[in-house]
Amino acid sequence: MSMIYRFTTLDDAYAFLLEAKGLPDVGTAKLRIQRCVRACILLSWVALEEALNRSIEHWNQEGRAFGPLPGSLKPRLSAVLAVVSRPPINEVEFTRLRKIRNALTHPRATVDEPELAVEKAEETFDLCVSTVRALFPFPVDCQF
Protein backbone atom coordinates (compact mmCIF):
# COMPACT_ATOMS: atom_id res chain seq x y z
CA MET A 1 0.00 0.00 0.00
CA SER A 2 1.33 3.38 -1.01
CA MET A 3 0.97 6.37 1.26
CA ILE A 4 1.18 10.08 0.49
CA TYR A 5 0.67 12.95 2.91
CA ARG A 6 -0.59 16.40 2.00
CA PHE A 7 -0.74 19.45 4.21
CA THR A 8 -3.10 22.16 3.01
CA THR A 9 -1.10 24.76 4.93
CA LEU A 10 1.91 23.85 2.80
CA ASP A 11 -0.20 24.14 -0.35
CA ASP A 12 -1.48 27.53 0.83
CA ALA A 13 2.04 28.76 1.57
CA TYR A 14 3.10 27.79 -1.91
CA ALA A 15 0.07 29.50 -3.47
CA PHE A 16 0.98 32.76 -1.71
CA LEU A 17 4.60 32.37 -2.82
CA LEU A 18 3.53 31.92 -6.45
CA GLU A 19 1.26 34.92 -6.23
CA ALA A 20 4.02 37.10 -4.78
CA LYS A 21 6.43 35.98 -7.48
CA GLY A 22 3.88 36.62 -10.21
CA LEU A 23 2.95 40.16 -9.24
CA PRO A 24 4.69 43.02 -11.02
CA ASP A 25 7.26 44.97 -9.03
CA VAL A 26 5.31 48.24 -9.18
CA GLY A 27 4.06 50.53 -6.46
CA THR A 28 0.42 49.50 -6.79
CA ALA A 29 1.29 45.82 -6.20
CA LYS A 30 3.76 46.41 -3.36
CA LEU A 31 1.18 46.02 -0.58
CA ARG A 32 -0.17 42.80 -2.09
CA ILE A 33 3.33 41.37 -2.54
CA GLN A 34 4.13 42.05 1.12
CA ARG A 35 0.86 40.44 2.20
CA CYS A 36 1.63 37.33 0.14
CA VAL A 37 5.22 37.15 1.42
CA ARG A 38 4.07 37.37 5.04
CA ALA A 39 1.37 34.74 4.47
CA CYS A 40 3.85 32.38 2.79
CA ILE A 41 6.35 32.72 5.62
CA LEU A 42 3.80 32.22 8.37
CA LEU A 43 2.01 29.33 6.68
CA SER A 44 5.30 27.59 5.90
CA TRP A 45 6.14 27.50 9.61
CA VAL A 46 2.61 26.40 10.53
CA ALA A 47 2.90 23.55 8.01
CA LEU A 48 6.24 22.49 9.48
CA GLU A 49 4.80 22.32 12.99
CA GLU A 50 1.71 20.49 11.74
CA ALA A 51 3.85 17.96 9.86
CA LEU A 52 6.16 17.48 12.83
CA ASN A 53 3.20 16.57 15.03
CA ARG A 54 1.81 14.22 12.39
CA SER A 55 5.20 12.56 11.87
CA ILE A 56 5.50 11.92 15.61
CA GLU A 57 2.11 10.21 15.50
CA HIS A 58 3.20 8.17 12.46
CA TRP A 59 6.51 7.06 13.94
CA ASN A 60 4.84 6.19 17.27
CA GLN A 61 2.45 3.91 15.35
CA GLU A 62 5.50 2.34 13.70
CA GLY A 63 6.96 1.57 17.15
CA ARG A 64 9.62 4.29 17.34
CA ALA A 65 10.16 5.48 20.89
CA PHE A 66 10.87 9.17 21.27
CA GLY A 67 10.74 9.52 25.01
CA PRO A 68 9.91 12.97 26.33
CA LEU A 69 10.30 15.53 23.55
CA PRO A 70 11.24 19.17 24.10
CA GLY A 71 8.44 21.69 23.76
CA SER A 72 10.09 24.24 21.49
CA LEU A 73 10.31 23.66 17.76
CA LYS A 74 14.03 23.46 16.98
CA PRO A 75 15.04 20.95 19.69
CA ARG A 76 11.86 18.95 19.12
CA LEU A 77 12.51 18.81 15.38
CA SER A 78 16.16 17.89 15.92
CA ALA A 79 15.19 15.09 18.31
CA VAL A 80 12.68 13.58 15.89
CA LEU A 81 15.07 13.76 12.92
CA ALA A 82 17.76 12.03 14.97
CA VAL A 83 15.44 9.21 16.09
CA VAL A 84 14.27 8.54 12.52
CA SER A 85 17.86 8.68 11.19
CA ARG A 86 17.45 11.76 9.00
CA PRO A 87 20.05 14.48 8.44
CA PRO A 88 19.94 17.29 11.01
CA ILE A 89 18.53 20.69 10.19
CA ASN A 90 20.82 23.46 9.02
CA GLU A 91 20.89 25.36 12.32
CA VAL A 92 22.20 28.62 10.87
CA GLU A 93 19.58 28.79 8.12
CA PHE A 94 16.82 27.63 10.47
CA THR A 95 17.69 30.33 13.02
CA ARG A 96 18.02 33.07 10.40
CA LEU A 97 14.63 32.29 8.86
CA ARG A 98 12.93 31.67 12.19
CA LYS A 99 13.92 35.21 13.26
CA ILE A 100 11.93 36.57 10.33
CA ARG A 101 8.90 34.55 11.42
CA ASN A 102 9.34 35.72 15.00
CA ALA A 103 9.51 39.36 13.91
CA LEU A 104 6.14 38.87 12.19
CA THR A 105 4.43 37.01 15.03
CA HIS A 106 5.89 39.12 17.86
CA PRO A 107 6.09 42.64 16.44
CA ARG A 108 7.67 45.33 18.54
CA ALA A 109 5.72 48.57 18.77
CA THR A 110 8.86 50.66 18.29
CA VAL A 111 9.85 48.99 15.02
CA ASP A 112 8.15 49.52 11.67
CA GLU A 113 6.74 46.50 9.92
CA PRO A 114 9.58 44.88 8.00
CA GLU A 115 9.57 44.98 4.21
CA LEU A 116 10.37 41.46 3.13
CA ALA A 117 11.73 40.33 -0.21
CA VAL A 118 10.01 37.54 -2.10
CA GLU A 119 13.30 35.63 -1.83
CA LYS A 120 12.85 35.39 1.96
CA ALA A 121 9.48 33.75 1.45
CA GLU A 122 10.99 31.35 -1.06
CA GLU A 123 13.89 30.46 1.26
CA THR A 124 11.49 29.89 4.13
CA PHE A 125 9.18 27.74 2.04
CA ASP A 126 12.09 25.68 0.71
CA LEU A 127 13.49 25.09 4.20
CA CYS A 128 10.10 24.10 5.61
CA VAL A 129 9.06 21.83 2.73
CA SER A 130 12.39 20.01 2.67
CA THR A 131 12.22 19.51 6.43
CA VAL A 132 8.63 18.26 6.19
CA ARG A 133 9.72 15.75 3.57
CA ALA A 134 12.60 14.59 5.77
CA LEU A 135 10.17 13.76 8.58
CA PHE A 136 8.35 11.02 6.65
CA PRO A 137 9.42 7.73 5.03
CA PHE A 138 7.08 8.31 2.07
CA PRO A 139 6.29 11.19 -0.28
CA VAL A 140 4.75 14.41 0.96
CA ASP A 141 2.74 15.98 -1.83
CA CYS A 142 2.62 19.72 -2.30
CA GLN A 143 0.64 21.20 -5.16
CA PHE A 144 3.40 22.73 -7.21
Side-chain angles (χ1 to χ4, degrees):
M1 176 170 89
S2 161
M3 187 176 253
I4 295 175
Y5 271 97
R6 280 194 60 222
F7 297 95
T8 56
T9 48
L10 203 56
D11 294 344
D12 292 346
Y14 190 67
F16 279 110
L17 176 60
L18 287 180
E19 185 173 346
K21 289 170 75 171
L23 289 167
D25 192 16
V26 297
T28 56
K30 192 173 190 172
L31 204 60
R32 182 67 188 163
I33 291 170
Q34 287 300 297
R35 186 170 291 129
C36 291
V37 166
R38 286 191 308 270
C40 175
I41 290 169
L42 294 172
L43 287 170
S44 294
W45 287 106
V46 169
L48 177 56
E49 292 196 42
E50 177 186 7
L52 176 60
N53 290 337
R54 182 60 193 107
S55 74
I56 292 168
E57 291 173 13
H58 167 78
W59 289 111
N60 279 330
Q61 291 171 356
E62 295 292 316
R64 295 284 176 109
F66 291 106
L69 289 168
S72 57
L73 181 61
K74 187 162 68 170
R76 184 178 179 89
L77 184 58
S78 294
V80 171
L81 289 170
V83 168
V84 299
S85 302
R86 298 295 195 272
I89 59 173
N90 178 327
E91 299 244 356
V92 172
E93 185 178 9
F94 183 96
T95 300
R96 179 179 61 84
L97 295 171
R98 189 69 175 175
K99 284 180 182 177
I100 296 169
R101 176 261 183 207
N102 289 346
L104 293 172
T105 58
H106 308 289
R108 295 184 309 181
T110 58
V111 177
D112 287 339
E113 188 173 293
E115 186 170 323
L116 299 168
V118 174
E119 291 76 26
K120 295 299 178 207
E122 191 163 26
E123 290 171 15
T124 300
F125 179 80
D126 289 346
L127 171 81
C128 290
V129 77
S130 64
T131 306
V132 166
R133 287 182 169 146
L135 290 167
F136 293 94
F138 40 77
V140 174
D141 186 33
C142 186
Q143 297 298 310
F144 355 146

Short mmCIF file of all heavy atoms in Angstrom, two decimals, residues 43-74:
data_model
loop_
_atom_site.label_atom_id
_atom_site.label_comp_id
_atom_site.label_asym_id
_atom_site.label_seq_id
_atom_site.Cartn_x
_atom_site.Cartn_y
_atom_site.Cartn_z
N LEU A 43 2.61 30.63 6.97
CA LEU A 43 2.01 29.33 6.68
C LEU A 43 3.05 28.23 6.51
O LEU A 43 2.79 27.07 6.83
CB LEU A 43 1.11 29.42 5.45
CG LEU A 43 -0.21 30.16 5.68
CD1 LEU A 43 -0.92 30.41 4.36
CD2 LEU A 43 -1.10 29.40 6.65
N SER A 44 4.23 28.58 6.02
CA SER A 44 5.30 27.59 5.90
C SER A 44 5.67 27.04 7.27
O SER A 44 5.84 25.82 7.45
CB SER A 44 6.53 28.20 5.23
OG SER A 44 6.27 28.54 3.89
N TRP A 45 5.79 27.94 8.25
CA TRP A 45 6.14 27.50 9.61
C TRP A 45 5.00 26.73 10.25
O TRP A 45 5.23 25.74 10.97
CB TRP A 45 6.55 28.69 10.47
CG TRP A 45 7.91 29.20 10.09
CD1 TRP A 45 8.20 30.35 9.40
CD2 TRP A 45 9.17 28.57 10.34
NE1 TRP A 45 9.56 30.45 9.22
CE2 TRP A 45 10.18 29.38 9.78
CE3 TRP A 45 9.54 27.39 10.98
CZ2 TRP A 45 11.53 29.06 9.85
CZ3 TRP A 45 10.89 27.08 11.05
CH2 TRP A 45 11.86 27.90 10.49
N VAL A 46 3.76 27.15 10.00
CA VAL A 46 2.61 26.40 10.53
C VAL A 46 2.61 24.99 9.96
O VAL A 46 2.40 24.01 10.68
CB VAL A 46 1.29 27.13 10.21
CG1 VAL A 46 0.08 26.25 10.51
CG2 VAL A 46 1.20 28.44 10.98
N ALA A 47 2.86 24.87 8.65
CA ALA A 47 2.90 23.55 8.01
C ALA A 47 3.99 22.68 8.61
O ALA A 47 3.79 21.47 8.80
CB ALA A 47 3.12 23.72 6.50
N LEU A 48 5.15 23.27 8.88
CA LEU A 48 6.24 22.49 9.48
C LEU A 48 5.84 21.95 10.85
O LEU A 48 6.06 20.78 11.15
CB LEU A 48 7.50 23.34 9.58
CG LEU A 48 8.71 22.67 10.24
CD1 LEU A 48 9.08 21.37 9.55
CD2 LEU A 48 9.89 23.62 10.27
N GLU A 49 5.22 22.78 11.66
CA GLU A 49 4.80 22.32 12.99
C GLU A 49 3.71 21.26 12.89
O GLU A 49 3.72 20.27 13.63
CB GLU A 49 4.36 23.50 13.85
CG GLU A 49 5.54 24.40 14.19
CD GLU A 49 5.26 25.35 15.34
OE1 GLU A 49 4.65 24.92 16.33
OE2 GLU A 49 5.69 26.51 15.23
N GLU A 50 2.78 21.46 11.97
CA GLU A 50 1.71 20.49 11.74
C GLU A 50 2.30 19.14 11.30
O GLU A 50 1.94 18.09 11.80
CB GLU A 50 0.76 21.03 10.68
CG GLU A 50 -0.35 20.10 10.28
CD GLU A 50 -1.18 20.65 9.12
OE1 GLU A 50 -0.82 21.70 8.52
OE2 GLU A 50 -2.18 20.00 8.80
N ALA A 51 3.23 19.18 10.36
CA ALA A 51 3.85 17.96 9.86
C ALA A 51 4.69 17.28 10.93
O ALA A 51 4.72 16.05 11.01
CB ALA A 51 4.71 18.28 8.63
N LEU A 52 5.37 18.06 11.74
CA LEU A 52 6.16 17.48 12.83
C LEU A 52 5.26 16.69 13.77
O LEU A 52 5.56 15.54 14.11
CB LEU A 52 6.91 18.57 13.59
CG LEU A 52 7.70 18.13 14.81
CD1 LEU A 52 8.76 17.10 14.45
CD2 LEU A 52 8.33 19.34 15.50
N ASN A 53 4.14 17.27 14.14
CA ASN A 53 3.20 16.57 15.03
C ASN A 53 2.66 15.30 14.38
O ASN A 53 2.57 14.25 15.02
CB ASN A 53 2.06 17.50 15.44
CG ASN A 53 2.52 18.60 16.37
OD1 ASN A 53 3.54 18.48 17.04
ND2 ASN A 53 1.79 19.69 16.39
N ARG A 54 2.33 15.39 13.10
CA ARG A 54 1.81 14.22 12.39
C ARG A 54 2.89 13.15 12.24
O ARG A 54 2.62 11.96 12.34
CB ARG A 54 1.25 14.63 11.03
CG ARG A 54 0.65 13.49 10.25
CD ARG A 54 -0.53 12.84 11.02
NE ARG A 54 -0.88 11.59 10.42
CZ ARG A 54 -0.61 10.38 10.94
NH1 ARG A 54 0.01 10.28 12.09
NH2 ARG A 54 -0.98 9.29 10.33
N SER A 55 4.13 13.56 12.02
CA SER A 55 5.20 12.56 11.87
C SER A 55 5.45 11.85 13.20
O SER A 55 5.74 10.64 13.20
CB SER A 55 6.49 13.21 11.36
OG SER A 55 7.13 13.97 12.35
N ILE A 56 5.34 12.56 14.29
CA ILE A 56 5.50 11.92 15.61
C ILE A 56 4.43 10.86 15.79
O ILE A 56 4.72 9.74 16.23
CB ILE A 56 5.48 12.97 16.74
CG1 ILE A 56 6.73 13.85 16.65
CG2 ILE A 56 5.36 12.30 18.11
CD1 ILE A 56 6.68 15.10 17.52
N GLU A 57 3.19 11.19 15.42
CA GLU A 57 2.11 10.21 15.50
C GLU A 57 2.42 9.00 14.61
O GLU A 57 2.26 7.85 15.03
CB GLU A 57 0.78 10.82 15.04
CG GLU A 57 0.20 11.85 15.96
CD GLU A 57 -1.02 12.54 15.36
OE1 GLU A 57 -1.57 12.05 14.34
OE2 GLU A 57 -1.42 13.58 15.89
N HIS A 58 2.87 9.26 13.39
CA HIS A 58 3.20 8.17 12.46
C HIS A 58 4.29 7.27 13.03
O HIS A 58 4.15 6.04 13.03
CB HIS A 58 3.64 8.73 11.11
CG HIS A 58 4.26 7.70 10.23
ND1 HIS A 58 3.51 6.77 9.53
CD2 HIS A 58 5.56 7.39 9.98
CE1 HIS A 58 4.31 5.96 8.89
NE2 HIS A 58 5.57 6.32 9.14
N TRP A 59 5.38 7.87 13.47
CA TRP A 59 6.51 7.06 13.94
C TRP A 59 6.16 6.32 15.24
O TRP A 59 6.64 5.20 15.46
CB TRP A 59 7.76 7.92 14.12
CG TRP A 59 8.32 8.34 12.80
CD1 TRP A 59 8.35 9.61 12.27
CD2 TRP A 59 8.93 7.50 11.81
NE1 TRP A 59 8.93 9.59 11.03
CE2 TRP A 59 9.30 8.31 10.72
CE3 TRP A 59 9.20 6.14 11.75
CZ2 TRP A 59 9.93 7.81 9.58
CZ3 TRP A 59 9.82 5.63 10.61
CH2 TRP A 59 10.18 6.46 9.54
N ASN A 60 5.31 6.91 16.08
CA ASN A 60 4.84 6.19 17.27
C ASN A 60 4.05 4.94 16.87
O ASN A 60 4.21 3.89 17.48
CB ASN A 60 3.98 7.09 18.16
CG ASN A 60 4.81 7.99 19.04
OD1 ASN A 60 5.92 7.65 19.44
ND2 ASN A 60 4.28 9.16 19.37
N GLN A 61 3.21 5.06 15.84
CA GLN A 61 2.45 3.91 15.35
C GLN A 61 3.37 2.84 14.77
O GLN A 61 3.04 1.66 14.78
CB GLN A 61 1.43 4.35 14.30
CG GLN A 61 0.30 5.17 14.86
CD GLN A 61 -0.58 5.78 13.78
OE1 GLN A 61 -0.33 5.66 12.59
NE2 GLN A 61 -1.64 6.45 14.21
N GLU A 62 4.52 3.27 14.26
CA GLU A 62 5.50 2.34 13.70
C GLU A 62 6.41 1.73 14.79
O GLU A 62 7.31 0.97 14.47
CB GLU A 62 6.37 3.05 12.66
CG GLU A 62 5.62 3.50 11.43
CD GLU A 62 5.14 2.33 10.59
OE1 GLU A 62 5.92 1.40 10.37
OE2 GLU A 62 3.97 2.38 10.15
N GLY A 63 6.20 2.14 16.04
CA GLY A 63 6.96 1.57 17.15
C GLY A 63 8.23 2.31 17.52
O GLY A 63 9.02 1.80 18.31
N ARG A 64 8.45 3.49 16.97
CA ARG A 64 9.62 4.29 17.34
C ARG A 64 9.35 4.96 18.68
O ARG A 64 8.30 5.55 18.89
CB ARG A 64 9.93 5.37 16.32
CG ARG A 64 10.32 4.85 14.96
CD ARG A 64 11.76 4.33 14.98
NE ARG A 64 12.10 3.76 13.70
CZ ARG A 64 12.94 4.30 12.85
NH1 ARG A 64 13.56 5.43 13.13
NH2 ARG A 64 13.18 3.72 11.70
N ALA A 65 10.30 4.87 19.58
CA ALA A 65 10.16 5.48 20.89
C ALA A 65 10.92 6.79 20.92
O ALA A 65 12.13 6.82 20.66
CB ALA A 65 10.69 4.54 21.96
N PHE A 66 10.24 7.85 21.21
CA PHE A 66 10.87 9.17 21.27
C PHE A 66 11.24 9.57 22.69
O PHE A 66 12.12 10.38 22.88
CB PHE A 66 9.94 10.24 20.68
CG PHE A 66 9.76 10.13 19.21
CD1 PHE A 66 8.59 9.66 18.67
CD2 PHE A 66 10.78 10.49 18.34
CE1 PHE A 66 8.42 9.55 17.31
CE2 PHE A 66 10.62 10.39 16.97
CZ PHE A 66 9.44 9.92 16.45
N GLY A 67 10.53 9.04 23.66
CA GLY A 67 10.74 9.52 25.01
C GLY A 67 10.15 10.92 25.12
O GLY A 67 9.47 11.39 24.22
N PRO A 68 10.44 11.60 26.21
CA PRO A 68 9.91 12.97 26.33
C PRO A 68 10.59 13.89 25.32
O PRO A 68 11.82 13.93 25.22
CB PRO A 68 10.24 13.36 27.77
CG PRO A 68 11.26 12.39 28.24
CD PRO A 68 11.18 11.18 27.38
N LEU A 69 9.78 14.61 24.56
CA LEU A 69 10.30 15.53 23.55
C LEU A 69 10.27 16.96 24.07
O LEU A 69 9.35 17.32 24.81
CB LEU A 69 9.47 15.44 22.26
CG LEU A 69 9.65 14.17 21.45
CD1 LEU A 69 8.57 14.05 20.38
CD2 LEU A 69 11.03 14.12 20.83
N PRO A 70 11.25 17.75 23.69
CA PRO A 70 11.24 19.17 24.10
C PRO A 70 10.00 19.87 23.56
O PRO A 70 9.42 19.44 22.56
CB PRO A 70 12.50 19.75 23.45
CG PRO A 70 13.32 18.58 23.02
CD PRO A 70 12.40 17.42 22.86
N GLY A 71 9.63 20.96 24.18
CA GLY A 71 8.44 21.69 23.76
C GLY A 71 8.68 22.65 22.61
O GLY A 71 7.81 22.84 21.77
N SER A 72 9.86 23.25 22.54
CA SER A 72 10.09 24.24 21.49
C SER A 72 10.48 23.55 20.18
O SER A 72 11.00 22.44 20.15
CB SER A 72 11.13 25.26 21.92
OG SER A 72 12.33 24.64 22.25
N LEU A 73 10.23 24.26 19.09
CA LEU A 73 10.31 23.66 17.76
C LEU A 73 11.69 23.11 17.39
O LEU A 73 11.80 21.96 16.98
CB LEU A 73 9.84 24.67 16.70
CG LEU A 73 9.86 24.17 15.26
CD1 LEU A 73 8.93 22.98 15.08
CD2 LEU A 73 9.49 25.28 14.31
N LYS A 74 12.73 23.91 17.48
CA LYS A 74 14.03 23.46 16.98
C LYS A 74 14.54 22.21 17.71
O LYS A 74 14.90 21.23 17.05
CB LYS A 74 15.06 24.59 17.04
CG LYS A 74 16.37 24.21 16.37
CD LYS A 74 17.25 25.38 16.00
CE LYS A 74 17.82 26.11 17.14
NZ LYS A 74 18.87 27.09 16.77
#
